[in-house]
């Protein structure tokens, strides 16, 4: 039973076999700041303002189909889909598909996401407790 006078919430640290299978995309700038997506093997995520995108970004500056992330064989690759305003990774405009690395920042016209491996995400959560 938890102590009701404690203001800290304990976040359980997952077993290593559970946490090493996923990567995450955490929104760090934009209207849904703090929201996160788990990226699974074989998953394709499309970002844009079209209602059928996996991640809908409500801005006229975002193309209907702006950016795609593909997770395959333990790698996640970002690709701009010919958008008008471009996609950036770590402030560099994507000219071709690029593999994301732990800690990379993905920006779609002011909407910024951080790409994290599980171990990095859980470590950051424990450090903020």
């Amino acid at each position: 039973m938890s102590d009701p006078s404690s203001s800290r919430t304990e976040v359980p640290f997952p077993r290593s076999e559970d946490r090493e299978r996923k990567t995450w995309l955490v929104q760090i700038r934009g209207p849904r700041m703090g929201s996160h997506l788990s990226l699974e093997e074989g998953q394709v995520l499309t970002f844009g303002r079209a209602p059928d995108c996996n991640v809908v970004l409500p801005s006229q500056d975002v193309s209907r189909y702006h950016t795609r992330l593909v997770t395959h064989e333990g790698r996640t690759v970002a690709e701009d889909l010919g958008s008008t305003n471009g996609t950036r990774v770590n402030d560099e405009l994507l000219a071709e598909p690029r593999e994301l690395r732990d800690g990379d920042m993905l920006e779609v016209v002011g909407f910024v996401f951080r790409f994290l491996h599980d171990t990095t995400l859980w470590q950051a959560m424990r450090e903020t407790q």
Side-chain angles (χ1 to χ4, degrees):
M1 189 159 143
S2 65
D3 178 359
S5 64
S6 172
S7 62
R8 287 176 45 146
T9 302
E10 288 296 320
V11 176
F13 196 72
R15 300 174 314 204
S16 62
E17 62 270 20
D18 291 337
R19 70 175 185 258
E20 292 186 30
R21 291 192 182 124
K22 292 184 182 176
T23 52
W24 299 85
L25 203 60
V26 180
Q27 188 170 3
I28 62 169
R29 192 179 324 139
R32 298 189 64 200
M33 188 170 72
S35 63
H36 58 277
L37 295 167
S38 169
L39 303 175
E40 306 290 337
E41 179 63 28
Q43 187 173 21
V44 177
L45 287 178
T46 304
F47 295 69
R49 69 172 201 273
D52 60 333
C53 286
N54 304 98
V55 180
V56 177
L57 302 174
S59 169
Q60 286 301 111
D61 294 327
V62 174
S63 294
R64 288 178 36 82
Y65 300 97
H66 199 105
T67 303
R68 176 174 37 227
L69 294 185
V70 177
T71 301
H72 181 66
E73 295 181 357
R75 299 174 45 207
T76 299
V77 175
E79 177 182 11
D80 185 81
L81 298 175
S83 67
T84 302
N85 293 313
T87 300
R88 296 182 179 276
V89 173
N90 300 330
D91 292 323
E92 294 178 20
L93 198 58
L94 281 182
E96 58 188 34
R98 177 172 168 178
E99 182 177 353
L100 296 178
R101 306 264 184 224
D102 188 35
D104 278 353
M105 307 284 253
L106 174 74
E107 181 179 355
V108 179
V109 194
F111 296 88
V112 181
F113 302 85
R114 177 163 257 161
F115 178 78
L116 297 169
H117 292 282
D118 257 351
T119 50
T120 306
L121 178 64
W122 290 112
Q123 180 181 355
M125 289 176 68
R126 288 186 66 104
E127 288 172 358
T128 60
Q129 289 189 351

